[in-house]
Amino acid sequence: QVQLGESGGGLVQAGGSLRLSCAVSGLPFSRPTMGWFRQAPGKEREFVAAISWSGGTKYYGDSVKGRFTISRDNAKNTVYLEMNSLKPEDTAVYYCAAKNPAMGTMTGIQDYEYWGQGTQVTVSS
């Protein structure tokens, strides 16, 4: 059974930081590419960051570059999203997702097969 479980969301003031975690288990393929996406009320889900199995390749959405950092610990089957200098516009439900590294692109939402349930991040002004 595939499980992706996000944690670490919450309420933070603008300029603050949060660290999200996503524990992964049961994937039917090895060396998964992992991604973070977010969806704000009334908006489409958007790409935030992605990381390859080795951690050697990372991508970020334009709105989070320089503020967010994605990382992973394969021994713990966990991927992280360190979020700094948070802004009210970062308020959203954040989802982690997994994809087969042999299929699709790292940034395409349609290429991710497995998703977590999401964790709410709220940034107050």
Side-chain angles (χ1 to χ4, degrees):
Q1 182 179 359
V2 177
Q3 291 186 326
L4 284 80
E6 301 96 335
S7 61
L11 174 64
V12 64
Q13 289 188 333
S17 299
L18 281 175
R19 188 195 198 202
L20 305 183
S21 300
C22 175
V24 185
S25 63
L27 290 174
F29 47 80
S30 60
R31 301 178 177 269
T33 295
M34 298 299 299
W36 286 97
F37 297 79
R38 67 186 183 186
Q39 187 165 19
K43 295 188 177 181
E44 293 186 351
R45 193 170 298 189
E46 67 171 348
F47 169 76
V48 174
I51 185 169
S52 63
W53 171 257
S54 69
T57 301
K58 301 178 183 180
Y59 290 101
Y60 295 94
D62 288 341
S63 61
V64 307
K65 282 180 182 176
R67 300 187 298 122
F68 291 11
T69 302
I70 189 170
S71 62
R72 65 191 298 165
D73 184 338
N74 292 330
K76 296 182 178 179
N77 295 317
T78 301
V79 63
Y80 305 97
L81 185 68
E82 184 76 32
M83 305 185 295
N84 298 316
S85 301
L86 282 162
K87 305 174 182 179
E89 50 264 44
D90 293 318
T91 295
V93 177
Y94 283 71
Y95 300 89
C96 71
K99 67 176 290 293
N100 188 320
M103 315 258 313
T105 67
M106 289 180 65
T107 61
I109 186 172
Q110 70 281 355
D111 296 321
Y112 284 78
E113 301 170 69
Y114 298 97
W115 293 80
Q117 79 286 353
T119 186
Q120 177 70 46
V121 171
T122 302
V123 184
S124 63
S125 57

